[in-house]
Amino acid sequence: MVTGETNLGTLLKTMSPVLSTGEFVFVTFAQARYGDHVELQPIASFNEPEGLTLVVPKECADEYDVPYHSVFSTITLQVHSSLEAVGLTAAFSAALSEQGISANVIAGFYHDHIFVPQESAATAMATLVALTQ
């Protein structure tokens, strides 16, 4: 099994950010567990003591009248980064922070997925592309 890139310089040069289509929201359910609320078509979940957090398409949350606070766009870094790589998240978070953009990051086995406020997606993309130079 390939474990992914660990060299920070290589990761930054080859991260190849791609803005995904769709709008996503973070929702939470107290007293829920993994597997609940499949009708919302979650793309990610996390169990916390306060409840189950799901990342779901906005249209699903709207359809089922599930409350949320903010709408996010997703930027996926196409580089296969190792889960043991050091510095990648810090580098892009710092660059986005300088632009006043929050970054909610979920790392999959192959890629990092950055959820940014929908209204900041274009600026976030430009910032990440500049970071590859």
Side-chain angles (χ1 to χ4, degrees):
M1 178 181 340
V2 178
T3 58
E5 182 62 54
T6 59
N7 180 280
L8 181 58
T10 301
L11 287 166
L12 291 172
K13 287 180 185 174
T14 63
M15 62 183 187
S16 302
V18 173
L19 180 62
S20 301
T21 58
E23 301 172 305
F24 296 93
V25 297
F26 287 68
V27 298
T28 187
F29 299 93
Q31 310 299 318
R33 61 178 196 217
Y34 182 77
D36 291 348
H37 303 287
V38 295
E39 70 278 4
L40 296 175
Q41 302 176 25
I43 62 167
S45 68
F46 199 88
N47 276 318
E48 299 178 286
E50 300 84 357
L52 176 69
T53 296
L54 300 176
V55 181
V56 303
K58 178 185 175 294
E59 62 268 12
C60 290
D62 290 342
E63 178 181 348
Y64 289 94
D65 201 29
V66 178
Y68 53 86
H69 295 288
S70 301
V71 179
F72 296 89
S73 294
T74 308
I75 299 171
T76 298
L77 304 183
Q78 296 299 301
V79 65
H80 178 187
S81 58
S82 169
L83 290 168
E84 296 174 349
V86 175
L88 178 61
T89 302
F92 68 68
S93 292
L96 293 172
S97 178
E98 289 175 8
Q99 298 297 319
I101 300 171
S102 68
N104 297 285
V105 183
I106 297 177
F109 186 84
Y110 293 99
H111 306 288
D112 292 284
H113 309 276
I114 310 165
F115 292 83
V116 298
Q118 183 182 32
E119 64 275 6
S120 301
T123 303
M125 275 296 295
T127 301
L128 295 173
V129 168
L131 197 57
T132 67
Q133 307 305 312

